Amino acid sequence: RRIGSLNLTRWLTAAARVLRIYTSCPKENVVGAELLSIFVIRVYFKMHLEVKAKPSLEHGAKHLLRYILLVNSSELTRKCRDVCHQTLPNNSYFAHPEPLLLAMFGKDHLYSSQKRGIIINYI
């Protein structure tokens, strides 16, 4: 069977299935489902809702910062944090200078006088 293109609905379905498997099966039969369910509940669903609420490009760097804060929070186990830190370098597109500037110059971050000062100092 051929796997189709990446789709957000598939990710949400997979996350919901992980939670269903974790809650319905005995603990000794489900290997790794606890780690996945902790990540899904404490990081994935929160980030999904934030991205859905503010999907524009100017919020990309803010979403990345929020993801890092959620991963480094005390709610996750050490093993889960280690797995998340391994994937972070591959998914840090919004840590480049251009998206960071976009986030800085977004509507809700700086006042126009501050923006003007940054531009003048840069030139």
Side-chain angles (χ1 to χ4, degrees):
R1 184 175 153 167
R2 187 172 181 278
I3 297 174
S5 62
L6 203 61
N7 191 344
L8 181 62
T9 307
R10 286 186 188 174
W11 284 107
L12 289 174
T13 303
R17 286 181 181 168
V18 164
L19 292 176
R20 187 177 62 199
I21 289 170
Y22 178 68
T23 56
S24 64
C25 293
K27 300 275 185 201
E28 60 272 357
N29 293 346
V30 183
V31 178
E34 181 178 7
L35 183 69
L36 283 172
S37 62
I38 289 170
F39 174 77
V40 165
I41 291 170
R42 297 189 178 151
V43 177
Y44 183 76
F45 282 151
K46 290 179 183 179
M47 286 305 305
H48 172 73
L49 292 175
E50 285 191 21
V51 171
K52 280 299 225 183
K54 297 179 179 179
S56 66
L57 184 62
E58 72 182 52
H59 296 288
K62 295 173 190 173
H63 293 317
L64 178 66
L65 176 64
R66 176 76 172 140
Y67 173 76
I68 292 170
L69 292 174
L70 285 173
V71 166
N72 289 333
S73 71
S74 60
E75 295 179 357
L76 293 181
T77 62
R78 180 75 180 155
K79 188 175 181 182
C80 191
R81 269 185 266 161
D82 291 342
V83 171
C84 292
H85 284 298
Q86 290 174 1
T87 62
L88 193 57
N90 296 334
N91 299 316
S92 59
Y93 307 111
F94 287 105
H96 291 286
E98 293 86 3
L100 289 175
L101 281 172
L102 256 170
M104 280 176 45
F105 288 115
K107 296 176 228 165
D108 57 345
H109 188 68
L110 295 174
Y111 297 107
S112 60
S113 61
Q114 291 173 320
K115 292 177 187 178
R116 215 174 298 118
I118 290 173
I119 293 171
I120 290 171
N121 289 335
Y122 182 75
I123 295 173

